[in-house]
Amino acid sequence: MSQAPQYTMSQRLGAEALGTFWLVFGGCGTAIFAATAIPVDAQMAVGVGWLGVAFAFGFTVLTGAYAFGPVSGGHFNPAVTVGLAMAKRFSWRDLPGYVVAQVVGATIAGAVLLVIAEGISGGFDPVESGFATNGYGDRSPMGYNLGSVIVAEVVLTAVFLFVILGATARRAAVGFAGLSIGMALTLIHLISIPISNTSVNPARSLGVAWFAGSDAMMQVWVFILAPIVGAAIAGYFHDFLLGPDTEPEPVEPPAAPS
């Protein structure tokens, strides 16, 4: 989650936009096209269900982290950028550009998903389908209320940031950050798809909400605010709870017996 200094800001922002595009296209695309069983030529095509969607989001972050992370740090999420800035792992000066790039990448992904979806026989209505948007009340997959959704989104985003900060610390095992972060996002989706359809990422929520009607847009504020609050909490308290980001102390070999 740290970028090499030789890359220009334009390259870093491009990597963030591409990575966020891939996250929304892969994760939300799986939810839109493959989550549920659909009739095909008098047969029923088997959907991947919530389990498949959870793995899709985890895989997109895992692959995106290794593909684009070396350039931009692999945030792909405004809440992650805020959390890293709170933890003093990222410059506040660069935060607005990253957030804009992430929202643009997510929005392009949502638009491409809509173009593909509208090609199905019989037509496609993003408002009626929900279009992989997040929600509470009657827009929650299992009918969870606003309070439950806020608590879930704040807590799970905070835990996600704790994982990211721990996995990318200098003291962490080298080369495993993407795997740890991808697995964490999979687990987060397994927990919270029934609650809110899982955001923990304002860009992911906005990227599809634009196209899903006024009800989706009226609720999207929750999925902007709650993840940012959770990420900021984790970023602020990380060093206090788990120690600063430092290299482990070298262990001196035992003295030879004289």
Side-chain angles (χ1 to χ4, degrees):
M1 306 293 286
S2 60
Q3 71 282 348
Q6 69 265 27
Y7 295 104
T8 67
M9 179 56 72
S10 295
Q11 290 168 330
R12 290 165 59 190
L13 296 180
E16 278 298 297
L18 281 170
T20 313
F21 172 92
W22 178 230
L23 185 149
V24 174
F25 189 82
C28 293
T30 301
I32 292 166
F33 301 127
T36 58
I38 57 173
V40 179
D41 295 333
Q43 296 182 343
M44 190 68 72
V46 178
V48 299
W50 289 344
L51 178 63
V53 174
F55 274 104
F57 274 101
F59 289 154
T60 58
V61 167
L62 190 157
T63 54
Y66 289 117
F68 309 115
V71 178
S72 68
H75 302 186
F76 316 146
N77 181 340
V80 170
T81 304
V82 169
L84 292 173
M86 288 292 294
K88 299 181 175 62
R89 302 267 196 97
F90 187 76
S91 170
W92 285 104
R93 180 185 60 190
D94 294 340
L95 185 145
Y98 265 54
V99 171
V100 170
Q102 291 154 359
V103 173
V104 167
T107 301
I108 294 172
V112 173
L113 288 171
L114 182 59
V115 169
I116 296 170
E118 288 180 335
I120 194 171
S121 175
F124 176 80
D125 184 347
V127 177
E128 183 180 347
S129 72
F131 204 53
T133 53
N134 306 111
Y136 57 86
D138 59 0
R139 294 187 58 82
S140 160
M142 296 294 290
Y144 284 88
N145 65 23
L146 175 60
S148 294
V149 167
I150 290 174
V151 171
E153 290 288 331
V154 169
V155 170
L156 289 172
T157 310
V159 172
F160 191 38
L161 261 293
F162 276 119
V163 171
I164 291 170
L165 290 165
T168 59
R170 287 188 287 267
R171 60 178 175 255
V174 177
F176 290 95
L179 182 62
S180 300
I181 294 165
M183 292 176 67
L185 190 60
T186 299
L187 179 56
I188 285 168
H189 278 77
L190 290 174
I191 295 167
S192 60
I193 286 176
I195 302 170
S196 64
N197 216 21
T198 310
S199 173
V200 301
N201 183 339
R204 169 261 186 269
S205 297
L206 279 168
V208 288
W210 305 121
F211 308 101
S214 59
D215 288 347
M217 289 301 297
M218 286 177 65
Q219 292 195 2
V220 78
W221 67 270
V222 177
F223 306 102
I224 297 171
L225 181 62
I228 288 174
V229 169
I233 290 170
Y236 183 80
F237 285 105
H238 178 267
D239 285 3
F240 175 75
L241 294 173
L242 300 177
D245 179 20
T246 57
E247 296 280 3
E249 293 293 329
V251 177
E252 294 290 337
S258 55

